[in-house]
């Protein structure tokens, strides 16, 4: 079974990696898709996000990282994936993700959405929180992989 795990990953966090590693243990092949989201102004370029994610998942044999534009359902179809993985932290995530899953299912009912609850230790974590913690130099090492710590230091000149 092949699955996609989409997101903007600006930047990748330990919460994302929790979902990636757990998903990779369930499916035969996992494609992490970095979405070009024109509604967001990312801190990191697409090339930086691609580098950080590839470095962070390099030891997980059945995971590849790609970029995409457009709808996740189209990305899943283009990659012959049968499942879209989505991580849930809080109830509000569920409401939003359920709406997206229902729309995707109305477009292509052959592709399922699988929700994984993030580990309890990451339930508060988002890329936005990681960026703020990094800005104030307040222990971001507990939130993101080492390559992201390095990239934050470069961005914030610390």
């Amino acid at each position: 079974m092949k699955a996609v795990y989409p997101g903007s990953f600006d930047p990748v966090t330990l919460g994302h990696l929790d979902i990636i590693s757990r998903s990779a243990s369930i499916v035969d092949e996992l494609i992490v898709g970095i979405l070009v989201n024109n509604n967001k102004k990312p801190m990191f370029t697409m090339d930086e996000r691609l580098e950080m994610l590839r470095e962070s998942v390099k030891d997980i044999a059945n995971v590849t990282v790609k970029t995409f534009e457009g709808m996740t359902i189209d990305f899943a179809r283009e990659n012959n994936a049968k499942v879209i993985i989505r991580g849930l932290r809080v109830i509000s995530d569920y409401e939003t993700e359920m709406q997206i899953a229902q729309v995707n299912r109305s477009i292509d009912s052959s592709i399922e959405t699988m929700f994984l609850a993030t580990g309890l230790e990451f339930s508060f974590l988002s890329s936005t929180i990681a960026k703020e913690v990094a800005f104030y130099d307040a222990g971001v090492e507990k939130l993101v992989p080492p390559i992201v710590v390095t990239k934050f230091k470069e961005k914030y000149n610390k």
Side-chain angles (χ1 to χ4, degrees), residues 67-116:
T67 63
F68 74 100
E69 291 187 55
M71 295 182 68
T72 298
I73 195 76
D74 292 331
F75 180 67
R77 280 193 267 203
E78 290 164 12
N79 286 280
N80 299 310
K82 294 296 175 197
V83 176
I84 297 170
I85 305 283
R86 298 299 299 160
L88 300 176
R89 294 172 300 180
V90 293
I91 292 294
S92 59
D93 285 351
Y94 176 78
E95 293 172 1
T96 302
E97 293 296 340
M98 182 57 81
Q99 289 176 335
I100 295 168
Q102 290 171 336
V103 169
N104 286 340
R105 186 153 175 76
S106 74
I107 294 169
D108 190 334
S109 62
S110 71
I111 299 174
E112 295 291 344
T113 299
M114 181 187 308
F115 299 113
L116 290 179

Side-chain angles (χ1 to χ4, degrees), residues 8-72:
S8 55
F9 303 105
D10 184 42
V12 61
T13 68
L14 296 181
H16 293 129
L17 293 178
D18 173 54
I19 297 295
I20 290 168
S21 64
R22 291 172 43 221
S23 299
S25 72
I26 296 169
V27 301
D28 299 311
E29 182 180 350
L30 179 64
I31 301 165
V32 178
I34 306 173
L35 170 66
V36 175
N37 186 339
N38 294 321
N39 295 326
K40 290 184 178 179
K41 186 174 180 192
M43 174 180 207
F44 294 99
T45 67
M46 182 58 74
D47 287 341
E48 288 172 320
R49 289 182 278 158
L50 193 60
E51 174 192 2
M52 289 185 288
L53 254 167
R54 284 185 173 156
E55 173 65 24
S56 298
V57 301
K58 69 181 180 190
D59 294 329
I60 309 173
N62 63 334
V63 175
T64 57
V65 182
K66 297 181 178 182
T67 63
F68 74 100
E69 291 187 55
M71 295 182 68
T72 298

